Amino acid sequence: FKAVKSSSRAQAKVTAKLKPVESSAIKVGKAVKVQLGNAPLDAVITEVSGDDVSVQLTSGMVVKTQVKNIFTE
């Protein structure tokens, strides 16, 4: 068998500059980015209770996370 080498692909992703949200700026209904895994996802804040924030992703899934995982562009 011949060895198949994959061609090196250039990373063409443009990473947006994400800024952490201040705890005073977190309000229900605000559109934010949420860091889940490796990629930030668009979301809307649905509930705030202390350091925990519930957000609804654009897919409809509701996720409870901490303030440190909430960003703006």
Side-chain angles (χ1 to χ4, degrees):
F1 294 104
K2 292 182 180 179
V4 177
K5 295 182 181 179
S6 62
S7 60
S8 60
R9 297 179 185 162
Q11 295 293 334
K13 290 184 179 180
V14 177
T15 55
K17 300 288 183 187
L18 297 178
K19 294 177 268 187
V21 174
E22 297 176 13
S23 57
S24 61
I26 294 179
K27 295 180 180 147
V28 173
K30 182 173 181 169
V32 293
K33 296 261 186 192
V34 179
Q35 184 74 30
L36 293 176
N38 293 331
L41 301 173
D42 293 325
V44 176
I45 297 174
T46 57
E47 182 185 351
V48 178
S49 59
D51 274 351
D52 292 333
V53 179
S54 293
V55 296
Q56 184 171 10
L57 304 178
T58 55
S59 65
M61 186 166 83
V62 176
V63 178
K64 186 176 250 184
T65 186
Q66 294 182 339
V67 175
K68 66 181 181 179
N69 296 324
I70 307 286
F71 298 94
T72 58
E73 289 186 288

